[in-house]
Amino acid sequence: MMIPACRLSDLPRGEAYRLDIDPPVSVFHTDDGEIFAIDDTCTHQDASLADGWLEGCEVECPLHSSKFDLRTGAVDAPPAKLPVRTHEVLVEDGTIYVRLSTDAPNLPPCIAARLAGGVT
Amino acid sequence: MRTVAVVGASLAGLSAARSLRKRGYDGRLVVIGDEPHRPYDRPPLSKEFLAGTIGEGDLALETDDEDLRAEWLLGSRATGFDRAARAVRLADGREVRADGFVLATGAAARILPGADGLAGVHTLRTLDDARALRDELALGGRLVVIGGGFIGAEVASTAYALGLDVTVIEVAPTPLAASLGPTMGSIVSGLHTDHGVRLRCGVGVKGLSGEHRVDAVLLEDGSTVPADIVVVGVGARPCVEWLEGSGIALDDGVVCGADGRTSLGGVVAVGDCANWYDPRAGRHRRVEHWTGARERPDAAVAALLSWGESEPGVPKPPYFWSDQYGVKIQFAGHAARADSVTVEEGSPDERNVLAVYRRAGRPVAVLGMNQPRLFTRWRKHLAVAA
C-alpha cells in the first residue's frame, strides 16, 4: 500500500516525521539528503525512533540507546535484538510516499502482548 | 593473553565478554556467575516483568544466534582472589586461573536489620527476587515500600496499577533529592500522590512487626503502618567482600581509573561494583546505572587487552531512565554539580517537564518527564558541552 507521508519541504535534513498508522512508521531525512522509512517503534521497548538521534544512516533509540541502520533495519547496538522493518520511499511532486512492507513487524514484547490481548 | 575470566554474568559481564570478542580476543574466555541464569536484563524486573506483561524469555540479553565461545560457570559464587596464583576461587572449591580478569560482581540490595525470616518482606534485585514478589503482589492487599528511590517508586507504581493499596516511606524530607536535587525530586515524587499512593517523608523506619509474616511497619515517630507485603528499597552495596585481602584496592567498590584498571595489573572492574575515576568530577564515583554497565566495559576491555596502553576516553555523562505511573523519566549528568535548575519546556503541574541543571550558566544535567525528543537533544548537547 502506498501512503502519502508529508511534503518534502516540510521535512528538513536531520529531521524525522512520524506517520501515525498502526504500527507507526517514521520517515527520516538524513544530513546527506537521503530519505528512509522504517518502523517507528524500537523493537526492545515502546519508544518512538522519530524522537531518537539521527546520525548518518543510523538512528539511536531515545530511551535505551539501541541503534538501527536506516538502510537495512538491522540492529547496530543492543539492547534491541530484532531489526525494524524498512519501507520503500518515493518522492513525487514534492510529496513523500511510503510503500509499506508486507513483512510482519517486530514489535517490543509489551506492545506485542497488548495487541495479542486485544485480539482474543 | 591466553585466558580471560569475567567474574559476573549480568549486563556488565556480558558487555565485557562481547567487547573482548569484538576487539579480536581469541583466547579462552570463562564467564563466572553466582546466579544460575544466563545474562538477563534487570530494568524490567520492577516494571513490565513485575506487572506480568513480559515473561522470563523476554529478559534474555543474548540474541538467539549469539556465540561468544565462552565457558559459562553459572551458579558459581566467587569467594576469593589469589593474587599470586592469579586465580579466582569459587564456593564449590574450584579455581579459575587466568591472565586477565574482568571484575563485574555487581551490587546487592541492602536489607533491614531484623527483617530476616519474616515472610512477606522482599528486596528486588534479581530475577528470583522478582518472581517471588510478583507472586505475592498477585494476591493483592496493602503494600508498604520502604525507600522512595527509583526502585521503590517503580515498585509502587507497578503495584498501584495492579490494584494494591500502596504506601511509600522515605526517610529524607524529599525523595530522589540525592539524584535529582530537592526541587525536581519533589516534582517527580509527586507522581505518587497524583495517583493516591500515600507518601510519608522525613520519617525513619524503626522495625517490622509480625509473628511469622509481616503485619506492619513501625516508624520512628511512634506510628504504625499496616502491611501485608513490604518491599525494602534502600539502596545497594557493591559485592566486593570476596576481594578483601586480595591486594586489589577497595573503597566503596573496586577502586579503578577512568579506563577501569584496578590497582593490580591485568585486572579491570566494570558495572555496579566498580568505583571509577570520573575526570569530569575529579573524583571517584560508583554509578549504578544500566547504561554505564553496557557502555563502560568496552573501555575497560581495551585497557585490559592493551595492558593499559590504550587512551581512556572521557566517559559520557551518566544516564538513567525510570517509568512510573505511565510517565517516562530520563536523567543525564550530575545534579549535585548544579547551582540552578530551570524548567525549559512543559509544566511541573502537568508532570511533563524538560529541566536543565546549570553550574555557572553551563548545563551539567538534564531531566525529562515525558519529553523523549527534547531530552535526546539535550543529552547529546551535554555530552559535547560538559
Side-chain angles (χ1 to χ4, degrees), chain B residues 145-149 168-176 199-205 233:
Chain B
V145 178
I146 300 173
V168 177
I169 296 164
E170 167 61 46
V171 65
T174 308
L176 310 172
L199 177 60
R200 295 200 55 182
C201 296
V203 61
V205 169

Side-chain angles (χ1 to χ4, degrees), chain B residues 255-271:
Chain B
V255 180
C256 49
D259 57 359
R261 279 194 293 156
T262 71
S263 61
L264 189 61
V267 181
V268 295
V270 297

Side-chain angles (χ1 to χ4, degrees), chain B residues 39-100:
Chain B
Y40 62 88
D41 211 19
R42 291 185 206 276
L45 295 181
S46 54
K47 304 185 272 276
E48 300 88 350
F49 181 79
L50 202 57
T53 52
I54 66 168
E56 289 181 21
D58 299 315
L59 298 175
L61 284 170
E62 296 161 280
T63 55
D64 290 340
D65 57 355
E66 186 165 12
D67 181 12
L68 292 168
R69 290 172 290 123
E71 295 166 41
W72 295 86
L73 300 183
L74 299 177
S76 305
R77 177 175 288 273
T79 54
F81 185 89
D82 187 332
R83 177 184 188 145
R86 293 194 72 83
V88 173
R89 279 195 304 275
L90 304 181
D92 60 14
R94 282 184 295 181
E95 268 193 2
V96 177
R97 298 168 82 99
D99 319 292

Side-chain angles (χ1 to χ4, degrees), chain A:
Chain A
M1 191 171 51
M2 203 70 151
I3 299 176
C6 60
R7 304 284 302 168
L8 178 60
S9 54
D10 291 339
L11 185 63
R13 291 185 183 200
E15 292 290 324
Y17 176 82
R18 193 174 110 121
L19 197 54
D20 280 317
I21 53 177
D22 192 22
V25 165
S26 278
V27 181
F28 293 89
H29 194 174
T30 70
D31 288 327
D32 292 337
E34 288 186 286
I35 298 174
F36 297 99
I38 61 171
D39 276 350
D40 178 61
T41 311
C42 177
T43 61
H44 167 248
Q45 225 175 62
D46 188 6
S48 167
L49 294 176
D51 288 343
W53 189 254
L54 180 62
E55 205 166 316
C57 277
E58 246 185 3
V59 63
E60 181 182 321
C61 171
L63 288 191
H64 308 148
S65 312
S66 295
K67 287 184 187 170
F68 297 93
D69 188 318
L70 297 177
R71 295 164 295 196
T72 63
V75 178
D76 286 354
K81 288 181 277 188
L82 297 172
V84 288
R85 291 185 307 179
T86 56
H87 308 280
E88 197 185 327
V89 174
L90 261 103
V91 181
E92 232 174 66
D93 299 331
T95 298
I96 301 172
Y97 294 88
V98 173
R99 191 194 301 277
L100 288 182
S101 160
T102 51
D103 298 344
N106 290 318
L107 295 171
C110 265
I111 292 193
R114 199 172 68 211
L115 291 179
V119 169
T120 51

Side-chain angles (χ1 to χ4, degrees), chain A residues 50-51 60 62-64 78 81, chain B residues 60 294 319 321 330 373 380:
Chain A
D51 288 343
E60 181 182 321
L63 288 191
H64 308 148
K81 288 181 277 188
Chain B
R294 164 132 125 62
Y319 164 63
W321 72 88
Q330 297 175 281
R373 177 181 284 240
K380 294 282 174 178

Side-chain angles (χ1 to χ4, degrees), chain B residues 150 176 179-181 183-188 320 328-333 335 341-345 352-357 364-371 374-375 378-379 382:
Chain B
F150 285 100
L176 310 172
S179 38
L180 303 183
T183 313
M184 298 317 296
S186 155
I187 290 168
V188 172
F320 65 86
K328 281 188 202 313
I329 298 156
Q330 297 175 281
F331 186 86
V341 53
T342 49
V343 173
E344 311 265 325
E345 282 290 334
N352 70 336
V353 300
L354 191 288
V356 178
Y357 298 67
V364 291
V366 57
L367 167 75
M369 293 175 78
N370 273 350
Q371 294 279 10
L374 272 179
F375 181 86
W378 271 100
R379 182 184 169 200
L382 204 63

